[in-house]
Amino acid sequence: MIYLDANATTPVDPAVLEAMLPFLRDYFANPSAAHAGGRTASRAVQRAREQTAALLHAQPDEMIFTSGGTESINAVHASVRALWPERPYLIITGTEHPAVMESAERWRKQGGNVIQAPVHGDGRVDLDALRTLVRSGSVALVSIMWANNETGVIAPMREIVEIAHAAGALVHTDAVQAAGKIPLDVEAMPVDFLSLSGHKMHAPKGIGALYVSRRVRFEPLIVGGGQEKGRRSGTENVPGIVALGMAADLAQQHFNDGTKARIHAMRDRFEHLVHAAFPDMRVHGCHTHRLHHTSSFCLPEIDAAGMLILLDKAGVACSAGSACHSGSLHSSSVLGAMGISARDAACTLRVSFHRFNTKPEAEEAAHKVIECAHKLRAERGDDGMVVTH
Ligand code: PLP
């Protein structure tokens, strides 16, 4: 199987697994315990906090360990809404992940107002529109993802922060797809909150972190035993935390060892081969501000759901640009917000590479995509697609 679905989840790095195993097997004590075992676990958590903070250029006490990206995002929205009722507005974009979309929906149901700032056709937020929207003075939070999970488009975070802060609003960024892929520096780009997730950066599922700047107040979403200095209760997931710390360390090392350039070249080679066979292929999103490992592309009139089945049989794991529900395709809201038609969205595939992929795999996957697309076109013609809105 050639695994090209890293934006869904990444394989656990063997070094990460090695780092976490002792905390499942030997050092299983509760980090709150007063005995030696507890102290060992507690030191490991502290070390991981330092490693995770270093990935963001944050201070260790600004990091809260959570169960993942979804929890971090929900916690930020709930905290800002609770602590700042006099500012009822939340601004997001139409290209956010469902974790942000649904959390925003709850903000609205609880009496707040949510505005979706428009994005350009290349997937980047319209900064002039954002500037106008935040001017009212009643915006509490601007919550815009740093990099998009479907297209890989990277947001103009510096400008977003400047615009929001100038209007007195706070900034949260869902950096689940950006963390570990591009350098993130909360000193240089002073977001107030940042969410990240272990399983998108070669750590296991079920562990994540939330950065909360020292400048801002925070009210916990989960209360109980007072762990994480009362900001996230529940006995710590020590193996997961250790894994996240190691994954953060490794990600930093890989920023400087040519890994990014290697993956970038692999992705570009893949796109080049498919494009050579299908000149009408269209790659979605801003080409200059795009994660180096992601490719979201449309092969016009070639049904992505059918492609996924053929590719799966051919040993290539990737995703469609649309969500599949009960056998029909629902157009991707991300692509829709970028002005891409439902028909083109239904013909969109997403491949996302990771550091264990190789160039021969990228080339083989491209050939399989070409083969499957020819097959589908020959079998189905143009009218094999079921598209619902
Ligand atoms: N945000 C983005 C952009 C994502 O891609 C994901 C995962 O798919 C999440 C949030 C949710 O993260 P988690 O799976 O850790 O809850």
Side-chain angles (χ1 to χ4, degrees), residues 305-317:
M307 284 291 285
L308 282 191
I309 296 169
L310 292 183
L311 285 169
D312 188 31
K313 278 192 195 148
V316 176

Side-chain angles (χ1 to χ4, degrees), residues 7-8 68-70 73 97 99 145 147 149 174 176-177 197 199-200:
N7 287 8
T70 302
I73 292 162
H97 185 271
M145 67 200 330
N149 47 305
D174 168 358
V176 165
Q177 294 291 349
S197 174
H199 74 102
K200 311 290 184 176

Side-chain angles (χ1 to χ4, degrees), residues 4 151 259-276 281 283-284 286-297 351-353 358-359 361-363 366 370:
L4 302 183
T151 60
T259 299
K260 184 175 169 189
R262 189 174 61 79
I263 301 173
H264 197 152
M266 216 183 277
R267 192 275 313 268
D268 285 358
R269 177 81 181 136
F270 172 90
E271 286 184 350
H272 172 80
L273 289 172
V274 178
H275 187 251
M281 168 200 197
V283 177
H284 302 307
C286 179
H287 288 213
T288 45
H289 296 94
R290 185 160 64 111
L291 291 177
H292 55 281
H293 71 291
T294 302
S295 180
S296 167
F297 61 97
V351 296
S352 42
F353 295 85
T358 61
K359 194 170 164 214
E361 277 186 330
E363 290 177 345
I370 294 164

